[in-house]
Amino acid sequence: MGIVKIDDQLHKEIRRASTVMCRSINAQAEFWMKMGMLAEANPTLTFHEIVKAQMAAADFPLPQPLVA
């Protein structure tokens, strides 16, 4: 574990997002960092494709899409 210095404005945004997403501030920051790392490693994939791949890797089936 370590300490990461981030800009005060970014910390405020993480705090607000963590409330909406029902995550701790640290969990929200970790999520954004992991998704950013995966996006850089897979530049042709969309956010949703990355999430879907991560869910599949965790053997967690996604529910069927809603039909309007």
Side-chain angles (χ1 to χ4, degrees), residues 13-62:
E13 292 170 10
I14 294 169
R15 182 183 302 119
R16 288 189 356 235
S18 71
T19 300
V20 172
M21 300 305 292
C22 299
R23 297 181 178 123
S24 69
I25 294 172
N26 285 349
Q28 184 65 42
E30 287 177 24
F31 176 75
W32 280 355
M33 285 186 275
K34 181 177 182 177
M35 294 308 291
M37 181 183 66
L38 290 168
E40 283 188 345
N42 301 280
T44 61
L45 298 180
T46 67
F47 171 79
H48 295 289
E49 290 168 334
I50 292 170
V51 170
K52 189 175 178 179
Q54 289 294 293
M55 296 294 260
D59 197 29
F60 186 84
L62 291 172

